[in-house]
Amino acid sequence: MLVLGLETSCDDTAAAVLHDGKELLSNIINDQTSVHSKYGGIVPELAGRSHIDQIHKVILQSLKSAQVELREIDLIAVTVGPGLIGSLLVGMNAAKGIAYGLGIPLIGVNHLEGHLLAIFLQKKIEFPFISLVVSGGHTDIYRVNNFGQYKILGRTRDDAAGESFDKVAKMLGQKYPGGPIIEKMAMDGNSEAHKFPRAYLEKGSLDFSFSGLKTSVKTYINKRQTYKQGDLTDNDIAAGFQDAVVEVLCKKIIMACEKEGLTRVVVTGGVAANGSLRKAVESVCDRSGFKSWFPAPVFCTDNAAMIACAGYHKFNSFPESKADLLNLDASASLVID
Ligand code: KG4
Ligand code: ZN
């Protein structure tokens, strides 16, 4: 079965062709970094316009790169939420048009389910497992029981981890997206130079909070000169901040495994591309006798291969979930059910 996946929930226009759920024939991503970077974050109206400009080019490129004709596609999988509504509508309407024109089924995919199943592009993980989805919009811990069976165990109560990376980068005068920049700066910084606060919340809670950490970094930057360690560099701040995020994420992963009696962990979403996080999770899991997996960085950040993969499994496990073309709608705040 050939699946064409489309993803336009945020600031990446992406299309991918996947054969039988595992053989990735193409994975095209047009990221809008140059559109948004000077604003320090995503401008929704500009994101929507850029998707309109790019969607057809990206689809054609994905077919060409896969050496597949449009009429050979058997199923379309498209992100229908959560995300920016103007962005989601571009991908969804393109998908509807193609499905209607070809007379083939369309599957609406939750963006988070795409992240949760991205690992299956590379590896078949045995169910059940703990999955941390850590991105610019989400920091959620799930128990994944099977395809389509997800139980949320904890989520952020304020900023997502990726959002805090982006905001701290902006405070340090850096561009969007801040995650990769902070990671690079942290390599030349001393994470021990200043210990930023870690929010663990109530005892046993698997929720997260990153806004206090972000405020603490802001306060520190503003008052840098009056502190005793006034010579802390931007790289030290980046390293100290990253350390605080990584430590909290690691502790909550271990807590989730212990609470659920599970030993398999998958970490996914844009922030899972972070080398320090990958190393730290691997090391704490090893120490606890747990096994951890991460999608390749290109499948951690937003992409359409993960949407094609989730759509393939959803269609095979629940063929009745095929969308009604006239009634399918996008939802900015879609939840996983
Ligand atoms: O999954 P994603 O591409 O989009 C959302 O669904 O949000 O994640 C984007 C987020 C951004 O906040 C970006 O700064 C962060 O992931 N990110 C990183 C790294 N690469 C991307 N954060 C930390 N380290 C990275 N290497
Ligand atoms: Zn995402």
Side-chain angles (χ1 to χ4, degrees):
M1 171 182 263
L2 278 179
V3 184
L4 173 65
L6 300 182
E7 154 65 36
T8 64
S9 67
C10 195
D11 60 338
D12 293 293
T13 317
V17 179
L18 185 67
H19 179 236
D20 284 346
K22 46 187 187 294
E23 190 193 353
L24 188 60
L25 303 183
S26 67
N27 187 33
I28 306 298
I29 303 168
N30 179 76
D31 87 82
Q32 303 176 358
T33 303
S34 60
V35 176
H36 304 286
S37 69
K38 61 177 173 286
Y39 300 103
I42 296 161
V43 184
E45 176 63 19
L46 297 183
R49 288 186 206 180
S50 178
H51 285 306
I52 292 170
D53 189 42
Q54 293 297 322
I55 187 77
H56 287 105
K57 293 175 208 164
V58 167
I59 292 172
L60 291 177
Q61 221 182 319
S62 75
L63 293 168
K64 191 172 173 201
S65 162
Q67 298 186 309
V68 158
E69 299 282 335
L70 185 57
R71 62 183 154 72
E72 293 178 78
I73 298 293
D74 300 299
L75 174 73
I76 314 265
V78 64
T79 306
V80 289
L84 302 170
I85 195 67
S87 293
L88 289 164
L89 286 171
V90 177
M92 192 193 66
N93 285 317
K96 278 186 176 183
I98 297 170
Y100 187 75
L102 293 179
I104 59 171
L106 169 68
I107 285 279
V109 174
N110 185 308
H111 180 78
L112 294 167
E113 190 171 14
H115 278 305
L116 283 172
L117 299 182
I119 191 68
F120 287 89
L121 287 162
Q122 297 168 268
K123 219 162 180 67
K124 195 164 177 353
I125 308 286
E126 206 182 309
F127 295 109
F129 57 84
I130 294 294
S131 185
L132 171 71
V133 181
V134 63
S135 70
H138 295 87
T139 305
D140 300 342
I141 292 198
Y142 294 88
R143 178 188 169 108
V144 179
N145 286 320
N146 209 329
F147 295 120
Q149 291 179 27
Y150 316 105
K151 179 179 160 203
I152 182 120
L153 304 174
R155 55 161 60 96
T156 183
R157 294 184 186 172
D158 40 58
D159 292 346
E163 188 181 357
S164 67
F165 268 92
D166 296 333
K167 287 178 176 168
V168 166
K170 193 173 178 183
M171 289 173 206
L172 293 172
Q174 303 294 332
K175 289 185 172 169
Y176 176 86
I181 300 172
I182 293 285
E183 178 176 14
K184 201 151 175 273
M185 291 170 75
M187 285 173 192
D188 296 321
N190 175 9
S191 63
E192 315 258 295
H194 184 77
K195 187 157 172 135
F196 287 108
R198 280 84 164 132
Y200 290 106
L201 306 171
E202 311 82 51
K203 195 167 184 293
S205 172
L206 290 173
D207 281 351
F208 300 92
S209 169
F210 295 105
S211 71
L213 169 61
K214 175 194 70 187
T215 306
S216 163
V217 173
K218 186 163 182 55
T219 309
Y220 190 87
I221 292 171
N222 291 344
K223 295 187 179 169
R224 183 160 21 178
Q225 295 319 316
T226 64
Y227 277 67
K228 215 166 131 215
Q229 319 95 306
D231 56 351
L232 210 66
T233 66
D234 283 6
N235 291 345
D236 294 337
I237 292 173
F241 158 77
Q242 180 176 271
D243 221 43
V245 175
V246 167
E247 194 177 304
V248 171
L249 294 177
C250 286
K251 285 226 164 111
K252 298 273 174 170
I253 286 172
I254 299 302
M255 275 173 64
C257 287
E258 287 170 351
K259 215 168 175 175
E260 295 294 312
L262 299 182
T263 56
R264 289 179 290 276
V265 174
V266 175
V267 184
T268 183
V271 181
N274 184 287
S276 288
L277 176 64
R278 293 167 88 97
K279 229 188 264 167
V281 170
E282 225 164 65
S283 145
V284 290
C285 284
D286 278 355
R287 261 185 274 140
S288 305
F290 303 156
K291 229 172 148 8
S292 56
W293 291 271
F294 309 81
V298 67
F299 301 136
C300 284
T301 45
D302 287 351
N303 66 88
M306 69 181 191
I307 302 303
C309 180
Y312 170 84
H313 288 293
K314 194 170 170 184
F315 187 70
N316 277 293
S317 305
F318 312 99
E320 70 282 3
S321 61
K322 171 177 98 135
D324 169 350
L325 289 188
L326 290 180
N327 287 322
L328 179 70
D329 225 339
S331 164
S333 52
L334 189 67
V335 290
I336 269 197
D337 51 26

